[in-house]
Amino acid sequence: MYDIIIIGGGVSGIGVAARATRAGKNVLLLEAGDRLGGCVHTWQPTAGFWLEMGAHTAYNSYGALLALNGDPGFGNLIPRAKVSYYFLADGRVQSPFARLSFLDALRHLPFNLGLKKTGLDVATYFTRLLGAGNWSKLLAPAFAAVLSQPAGPYPAAWLFKRKQREKAAPRKFTHAAGLQGWLTDLAAGVTVRYGCRVEGLANDADGVLVRLAGETLSTRQVVIATPPDVAATLLAGIDPALAARLSQTPMAEIETYAVVLPAATVKLPPVAGLIGGDDAYFSAVSRDYLPHPEWRGFAFHFKPGLLDEAGKRRKAAEVLGCTPNDFAFEQSKINRLPALTPASVVFAAELDARLAKTPIRLAGNYLNGLSLGDAAQYAADHCQ
Ligand SMILES: Cc1cc2nc3c(=O)[nH]c(=O)nc-3n(C[C@H](O)[C@H](O)[C@H](O)COP(=O)(O)OP(=O)(O)OC[C@H]3O[C@@H](n4cnc5c(N)ncnc54)[C@H](O)[C@@H]3O)c2cc1C
């Protein structure tokens, strides 16, 4: 009998598992895949060079994660070099500020300074704050690049929350082995079983039964730290009505296509990334924040269903000012994220209240916001 089984080895599950292990509990982390990280996926195509296929930036406001860092002085965290995001206009990089209409902003900002985010979506909030022109030309594409999906419906209350910063850690950072390496380090000491896709849950007199292919495990407590659609399937054996509502959380798919190529072949100056705007991609995130003498790498997060693989290669080459023959390494994957709305904020509180008296807890990026810090903070606050 385990004290706690955590289902899902992304940032949400890792945080819970690491804390419970350090508290001396009998813990098991079950991960369907063959690595930890989930949406944090560091691809290493060649010795000495890696590229993030998913989350790429961590901040010193991610307190719940930094609290688990093995080195209290944060010497293992590498500050990101100062590079910026740009739009591409006529083949040249353009600063986002070039798209800001101060006049439009001045017409709106003074009248909306006290505007509360509660209950508003991002489009409504920022249109009122800075005007419709600034929303459509600048903020909608910039926020879509941050969220890797259309940003308008996202809950304003969950974007750019004010959080305390851990001043001893770099403001924005990565790790020698990328963010997946960092999360894997945070999980040191946790008992993990890989390739274990949980199929269902059932109530038991002493807690919960966790069903895997050909095996059932008993535990006092379960944390479901999977995407919401999977969580809904698992919850169906415990609370079918709640599971049915959770299953309606819409999911956004992102077609990620990453390339690594000799630095000398790229015409683009060093950038943190590009904002796709009306183009076929939400963002193209570079590795230039950790420069390498030989290689550069870019993860293009494409809008779903627009381009086939050949089209993505052509687009990437066009943006980088090279030909597809210059690509030394290529990799594709589908990323999935919940498509959240202000209703998600209300539903998250309801989910928490409804499960409070049960041995089941939920953790994930649909309960407090998409960022690593928000997902980890929710898990720390609700799952111990
Ligand atoms: C392209 C992209 C860029 C991003 N950039 C950033 C960024 O720069 N900074 C930032 O803070 N955030 C960023 N995010 C958001 C952030 O990465 C995610 O919201 C966060 O990592 C989600 O973590 P999670 O643990 O809640 O879920 P997930 O990462 O989805 O993890 C869920 C885990 O559950 C496992 N699983 C699923 N089903 C089962 C099952 N039945 N049994 C067992 N295991 C199962 C999965 O394999 C997975 O490992 C980005 C996301 C994407 C996609």
Side-chain angles (χ1 to χ4, degrees):
M1 166 78 94
Y2 291 96
D3 292 326
I4 178 165
I5 287 183
I6 297 106
I7 306 170
V11 69
S12 302
I14 288 171
V16 181
R19 271 191 185 74
T21 301
R22 290 174 200 193
K25 293 188 181 166
N26 185 13
V27 177
L28 181 62
L29 174 58
L30 297 171
E31 167 53 45
D34 58 3
R35 60 177 186 88
L36 293 178
C39 291
V40 176
H41 185 178
T42 308
W43 169 48
Q44 173 124 31
T46 182
F49 191 86
W50 50 256
L51 180 67
E52 300 292 2
M53 301 280 292
H56 40 87
T57 310
Y59 298 86
N60 66 358
S61 57
Y62 291 0
L65 291 172
L66 291 169
L68 295 169
N69 196 57
D71 174 358
F74 305 110
N76 58 330
L77 305 183
I78 304 174
R80 289 169 50 113
K82 282 198 172 58
V83 275
S84 303
Y85 279 88
Y86 294 95
F87 287 85
L88 265 192
D90 302 324
R92 290 170 169 240
V93 293
Q94 179 193 49
S95 162
F97 290 105
R99 294 191 165 216
L100 180 69
S101 160
F102 287 95
L103 196 64
D104 202 13
L106 274 176
R107 279 202 197 109
H108 293 83
L109 198 56
F111 308 103
N112 289 288
L113 276 177
L115 185 62
K116 295 265 185 304
K117 289 179 167 179
T118 315
L120 297 184
D121 63 33
V122 165
T124 307
Y125 179 77
F126 284 98
T127 300
R128 285 199 199 152
L129 218 54
L130 293 172
N134 280 324
W135 167 254
S136 60
K137 271 196 181 156
L138 169 61
L139 300 176
F143 294 163
V146 172
L147 298 172
S148 300
Q149 57 183 287
Y154 193 77
W158 281 359
L159 191 70
F160 308 137
K161 290 183 198 166
R162 207 167 282 203
K163 289 178 234 145
Q164 258 196 325
R165 294 191 174 274
E166 172 51 79
K167 298 263 170 54
R171 195 178 159 82
K172 290 184 193 182
F173 61 86
T174 186
H175 178 271
L179 291 182
Q180 186 183 315
W182 183 47
L183 292 189
T184 305
D185 276 3
L186 299 188
V190 174
T191 307
V192 187
R193 275 176 63 181
Y194 294 96
C196 280
R197 188 171 294 281
V198 176
E199 294 178 349
L201 300 175
N203 283 315
D204 180 42
D206 299 325
V208 187
L209 297 176
V210 178
R211 188 161 45 79
L212 309 168
E215 191 183 359
T216 299
L217 305 172
S218 318
T219 178
R220 290 192 176 82
Q221 200 191 348
V222 164
V223 173
I224 308 177
T226 67
D229 49 350
V230 179
T233 327
L234 300 180
L235 209 53
I238 305 280
D239 187 335
L242 199 60
R245 289 182 58 206
L246 184 56
S247 72
Q248 283 159 26
T249 310
M251 297 296 292
E253 287 208 339
I254 303 113
E255 298 180 10
T256 298
Y257 170 73
V259 293
V260 171
L261 64 174
T265 59
V266 186
K267 295 223 173 51
L268 196 70
V271 294
L274 298 172
I275 300 165
D278 293 334
D279 213 327
Y281 58 97
F282 292 114
S283 64
V285 178
S286 102
R287 227 297 294 263
D288 295 342
Y289 57 82
L290 190 59
H292 189 275
E294 196 181 340
W295 301 108
R296 288 181 74 187
F298 299 84
F300 284 78
H301 299 298
F302 280 102
K303 299 171 186 173
L306 293 185
L307 296 180
D308 60 12
E309 286 298 294
K312 288 174 195 164
R313 294 186 86 220
R314 274 197 304 276
K315 175 54 72 180
E318 175 198 316
V319 168
L320 300 176
C322 61
T323 75
N325 291 338
D326 293 320
F327 299 158
F329 306 99
E330 301 166 59
Q331 177 83 297
S332 294
K333 80 170 282 196
I334 302 289
N335 272 304
R336 296 173 75 242
L337 287 172
L340 303 173
T341 68
S344 313
V345 179
V346 179
F347 187 44
E350 208 184 314
L351 280 166
D352 191 45
R354 181 112 159 215
L355 293 172
K357 292 206 171 75
T358 76
I360 314 271
R361 292 288 177 273
L362 295 176
N365 55 1
Y366 58 100
L367 298 158
N368 186 40
L370 283 180
S371 82
L372 299 171
D374 289 340
Q377 192 61 53
Y378 185 90
D381 292 344
H382 293 81
C383 301
Q384 299 307 145

